[in-house]
Amino acid sequence: MRIKARYKQLIFAFLMAFSISMFISFVLVSINIGYGSTFLKTWLITWSRAFICAFFAAYFFPRYIQKVMAKIEFV
């Protein structure tokens, strides 16, 4: 698969947000409500909301964090 390099950050943010939001929402819904009859519906709703937040965070935060990291001197 060949994709233009300018989409690299966008695709990376999408995949990170997708996988991390899926994992964390699954664990938290499992802990909070268990594996009852409403688990799947609750998890999918929670995951969709978490994904939206995670995508914007994964897309915008690295830019600012890299600037902060550049100011830190590691020894």
Side-chain angles (χ1 to χ4, degrees):
M1 176 184 313
R2 295 178 58 94
I3 299 174
K4 292 184 180 183
R6 69 181 186 184
Y7 298 118
K8 182 179 179 180
Q9 182 179 357
L10 183 67
I11 293 170
F12 178 80
F14 177 84
L15 293 174
M16 287 298 292
F18 184 85
S19 58
I20 291 172
S21 64
M22 179 192 303
F23 177 73
I24 292 173
S25 65
F26 181 86
V27 170
L28 292 178
V29 171
S30 299
I31 291 169
N32 290 325
I33 70 163
Y35 298 105
S37 60
T38 61
F39 174 79
L40 185 60
K41 181 180 177 183
T42 304
W43 175 56
L44 290 174
I45 291 169
T46 304
W47 178 30
S48 65
R49 292 174 182 166
F51 172 73
I52 293 168
C53 296
F55 176 73
F56 287 109
Y59 186 73
F60 291 110
F61 286 0
R63 296 175 186 178
Y64 302 108
I65 293 171
Q66 287 174 350
K67 289 178 183 178
V68 171
M69 294 294 289
K71 295 178 182 180
I72 300 172
E73 183 180 337
F74 293 95
V75 292

